Amino acid sequence: MITRSLGAAGPRVSAIGLGCMGMSDLYGPSDEAESIATVHAALDAGVTLLDTGDFYGMGHNEMLLRQALSGRPRDKVLISVKFAAQRAPDGSFVGIDARPVAVKNFLAYTLRRLGTDYVDVYRPARVDPAVPIEDTVGAIAEMVKAGYVRHIGLSEAGAETVRRAHAVHPIVDLQIEYSLFSRGIEADILPTCRELGVGITAYGVLSRGLLSGHWTKERTSGPRDFRSRSPRFSGDNLDRNLALVDALRAVAESKGATVAQIAIAWVLSRGADIIPLIGARRRERLSEALGALPLSLSADDLARIERAVPADAVAGDRYDAHQMALLDSEKRRGVAG
Ligand SMILES: NC(=O)c1ccc[n+]([C@@H]2O[C@H](COP(=O)([O-])OP(=O)(O)OC[C@H]3O[C@@H](n4cnc5c(N)ncnc54)[C@H](OP(=O)(O)O)[C@@H]3O)[C@@H](O)[C@H]2O)c1
């Protein structure tokens, strides 16, 4: 397995991480036994970075990981956990809480659910607009000092917030959407992270399946599936986005690769400080994703990819208007408040 450094001063991790969200939540029904088999297959293939959130299935994802990791050496895997999203019993998202007291409370429950003494990377899923980032990071830093957390990360934070947080305690990585369809970080956030030595764990690299080559116009998503509310998956936007995928398919075929592999290889090609988190929840998908690692893209390949999917060609925002407004990372671009 190829490894990369998680941030300039952070640990080395597999060049692709496994995102576990879809095993418990947000993408419709999933199969628990297959999810566990997928985690095992990832570990056996040398994947060392697993990403979860305490709110993915309201604790289900952490308990699933505990089961999957049982009997495996704890120090051979890095567990990245997001907290702060609040949910109601019906699964709806009802707020963000990243107050210092909440940090400690969330972490206590996470440690118990995961059955571990420490979390490798702990991060607020969203910046809490009511709490200075210095206070949230300061509280996690106390947990680092106490031995419950190894590294601090951020998620969907803008450049200025990353800078402020990093001044309180080194930030190892920023988790943020980055793909051929979502290139917003290139202007400001990525250069700031590079200046500070903060790594990027990129999510949505397959644009939640839209950019995988497996999505079709006929595929429907249930009401609990994030994609049923995503602007990029609806109406004319979907037609336009699938046309981009078709253009990319032609490039993939000429390389003897799949669309998903080209989309992942493109993100990998953007810099050694970027680690794609891939949301595979079946072994077959995982194996396809890992097939991106040996692909090398020449300057000519990259130019053809950019012609197939120009930087601003995607139709639709990456979240609905309500969720866009919660993204600190989008504020400076004038998309949200
Ligand atoms: N910080 C944040 O705000 C945030 C937000 C979202 C996600 N995340 C993290 O990032 C991880 C990855 O995000 P994501 O799941 O949205 O991104 P993704 O990897 O872009 O999308 C995963 C989806 O793509 C489909 N897919 C098709 N071919 C695939 C292949 N070869 N390998 C993997 N998936 C394939 C899967 O479909 P099927 O399973 O239906 O086949 C799955 O629904 C999540 O699991 C989560 O840990 C973080």
Side-chain angles (χ1 to χ4, degrees):
M1 172 58 70
I2 302 162
T3 61
R4 289 185 165 185
S5 173
L6 186 65
R12 288 201 79 80
V13 294
S14 50
I16 286 181
L18 180 66
C20 301
M21 178 180 83
M23 297 176 182
S24 300
D25 216 348
L26 292 157
Y27 292 154
S30 60
D31 181 299
E32 201 159 299
E34 182 59 26
S35 296
I36 289 172
T38 304
V39 175
H40 287 166
L43 298 174
D44 294 344
V47 171
T48 59
L49 177 64
L50 302 178
D51 185 70
T52 181
D54 59 12
F55 52 97
Y56 292 163
M58 285 79 84
H60 179 271
N61 205 234
E62 291 179 326
M63 292 189 287
L64 184 85
L65 276 187
R66 178 189 188 143
Q67 209 182 327
L69 293 174
S70 151
R72 303 262 174 168
R74 173 68 184 88
D75 60 351
K76 295 282 184 271
V77 65
L78 275 92
I79 310 176
S80 150
V81 182
K82 291 179 290 300
F83 69 93
Q86 295 177 305
R87 301 188 72 174
D90 66 359
S92 55
F93 285 84
V94 293
I96 298 166
D97 188 355
R99 291 170 302 143
V101 67
V103 168
K104 292 173 189 171
N105 180 67
F106 280 128
L107 179 60
Y109 282 80
T110 279
L111 291 171
R112 180 57 67 96
R113 279 189 296 258
L114 284 170
T116 181
D117 297 335
Y118 67 94
V119 165
D120 295 277
V121 189
Y122 202 50
R123 74 185 82 238
R126 294 288 179 266
V127 175
D128 184 341
V131 179
I133 194 65
E134 289 82 357
D135 293 1
T136 302
V137 169
I140 310 176
E142 275 182 45
M143 298 294 92
V144 172
K145 219 167 162 188
Y148 298 120
V149 169
R150 294 270 158 93
H151 304 280
I152 304 180
L154 292 172
S155 167
E156 288 292 350
E160 200 43 47
T161 304
V162 174
R163 204 178 279 288
R164 284 169 51 197
H166 194 69
V168 174
H169 187 281
I171 299 299
V172 73
D173 72 318
L174 171 67
Q175 189 172 117
I176 196 158
E177 186 162 359
Y178 186 46
S179 73
L180 277 164
F181 277 0
S182 297
R183 299 184 57 172
I185 69 169
E186 289 174 358
D188 198 15
I189 294 174
L190 185 55
T192 300
C193 287
R194 288 192 162 148
E195 178 200 324
L196 301 173
V198 174
I200 298 285
T201 41
Y203 78 83
V205 168
L206 301 177
S207 199
R208 302 167 180 273
L210 180 57
L211 188 48
S212 69
H214 299 294
W215 200 269
T216 61
K217 182 129 181 88
E218 290 67 44
R219 189 163 155 176
T220 50
S221 352
R224 285 183 168 272
D225 192 319
F226 168 90
R227 297 169 291 204
S228 66
R229 296 180 303 280
S230 165
R232 291 185 176 171
F233 285 81
S234 64
D236 290 348
N237 287 349
L238 180 61
D239 292 333
R240 285 168 60 191
N241 294 334
L242 287 177
L244 296 171
V245 174
D246 279 341
L248 193 61
R249 197 186 308 275
V251 182
E253 280 170 4
S254 75
K255 294 279 296 173
T258 67
V259 174
Q261 287 168 344
I262 292 290
I264 297 166
W266 181 84
V267 170
L268 282 165
S269 79
R270 307 311 283 175
D273 52 350
I274 302 179
I275 294 155
L277 290 175
I278 303 301
R281 51 186 179 167
R282 288 189 273 140
R283 284 167 287 182
E284 187 196 343
R285 297 289 200 231
L286 172 75
S287 151
E288 180 186 19
L290 295 178
L293 284 168
L295 274 182
S296 82
L297 300 176
S298 66
D300 181 52
D301 294 332
L302 290 169
R304 287 164 64 218
I305 291 169
E306 296 257 353
R307 276 198 300 276
V309 186
D312 289 322
V314 74
D317 281 336
R318 57 196 183 97
Y319 283 96
D320 67 23
H322 172 71
Q323 292 186 65
M324 283 298 273
L326 297 174
L327 297 178
D328 187 68
S329 52
E330 296 285 353
K331 286 194 170 131
R332 298 218 28 215
R333 300 172 61 223
V335 179

